[in-house]
Amino acid sequence: MKMKIQKYNPLIDAAPYYVEGEVEYREGITALDAVYLFHTQVEPVNFEYACGGRICGRCGAMVDGEPKLMCFALLDDSEHTIEPLEGFDIIRDLVVDRSELDRRLAEADTRVMTEPVTEETLTPANFDADEYAETSDLMMYLERCSRCGLCMVKCPALAADKQHYVGPAEMVQIAFKDMDWYDKADRVAQAVSSGLYHCIQCGMCDEVCMQQVPHLKLWEYLRTKAEARDLVPSYAK
């Protein structure tokens, strides 16, 4: 199986370049398997992964031009090109700098508390069993998010206006915290101010998500709550 992998060390290379070679094909081989074989048998390549099972999100890369988690991207017995994930600064070869995305997602996912959680407050006063039942399925999918950033790569709304839209990955975390009964921040207002209505509902985020996080359903959930509070911005009416 022919492999073409982009390499680049910004400390010494003037520009990215490609190295080519062949690795043995086997049924069920993933892009991560192939890169590892290339690294050990053809030429050393810097790449990153932790779990190898689409949980950590660290092995995101461009596989034949599409953003994928290498550990879950199956390859056929043809020629394949592996490049670093678009939209991120390259540290070396396939390793990109995710620190800014990680910081933003961690900040969005930080619970805002006004009182400590005790046995007396385990069930908040505003707990609504019916509303919890309605959101429990969405929460199950939200917990699968690996924060890989694939959705950010393919989002045309983010590419068009990074100033007014935080992008799907961060919006997912905002939605997750809105469903957190102990979080006291106004996450609906945060979603609107973060560009909820700048999303064009193209569905690319759902298409590339290898964890099947239902982004568009989350946007519908947040927009419904925003409309109930008359928070829809004038440009979206």
Side-chain angles (χ1 to χ4, degrees), residues 27-224:
E27 186 175 355
I29 192 171
T30 67
L32 184 60
D33 295 331
V35 169
Y36 178 79
L37 290 175
F38 192 99
H39 169 73
T40 56
Q41 299 176 6
V42 181
E43 182 170 339
V45 175
N46 287 272
F47 60 103
E48 183 179 19
Y49 76 100
C51 69
R54 66 171 181 167
I55 296 175
C56 71
R58 309 310 293 183
C59 67
M62 306 303 294
V63 179
D64 297 326
E66 293 295 323
K68 295 184 179 181
L69 294 176
M70 292 194 293
C71 66
F72 213 65
L74 295 175
L75 302 182
D76 58 20
D77 190 8
S78 61
E79 184 174 344
H80 299 282
T81 301
I82 311 295
E83 300 162 306
L85 198 61
E86 291 180 358
F88 296 86
D89 291 334
I90 299 173
I91 295 177
R92 187 165 180 179
D93 299 343
L94 302 179
V95 181
V96 297
D97 185 358
R98 300 170 179 269
S99 58
E100 177 60 18
L101 177 62
D102 289 342
R103 183 195 66 78
R104 287 170 51 191
L105 297 186
E107 187 175 272
D109 195 35
T110 299
R111 176 185 284 168
V112 176
M113 300 287 294
T114 56
E115 59 182 3
V117 177
T118 65
E119 288 189 11
E120 290 73 23
T121 61
L122 281 176
T123 301
N126 66 334
F127 181 82
D128 186 318
D130 292 334
E131 183 178 347
Y132 177 79
E134 290 177 3
T135 61
S136 59
D137 287 342
L138 284 176
M139 289 185 70
M140 177 186 69
Y141 284 104
L142 282 171
E143 291 173 347
R144 293 183 182 180
C145 178
S146 62
R147 303 186 178 190
C148 61
L150 302 189
C151 57
M152 305 286 275
V153 175
K154 295 292 287 187
C155 178
L158 179 63
D161 192 355
K162 293 182 179 180
Q163 181 179 355
H164 296 103
Y165 184 41
V166 297
E170 190 167 342
M171 195 65 72
V172 164
Q173 300 308 316
I174 294 172
F176 195 17
K177 298 319 293 181
D178 183 73
M179 298 177 191
D180 181 348
W181 286 95
Y182 296 101
D183 184 80
K184 302 304 180 183
D186 189 341
R187 299 298 181 173
V188 176
Q190 181 184 0
V192 173
S193 65
S194 297
L196 175 64
Y197 285 89
H198 283 274
C199 169
I200 62 175
Q201 306 274 2
C202 67
M204 290 302 300
C205 47
D206 281 351
E207 184 176 322
V208 301
C209 182
M210 304 187 84
Q211 300 294 67
Q212 298 182 324
V213 174
H215 299 79
L216 294 187
K217 287 186 178 180
L218 293 174
W219 306 171
E220 181 182 355
Y221 161 82
L222 289 170
R223 287 184 177 189
T224 298

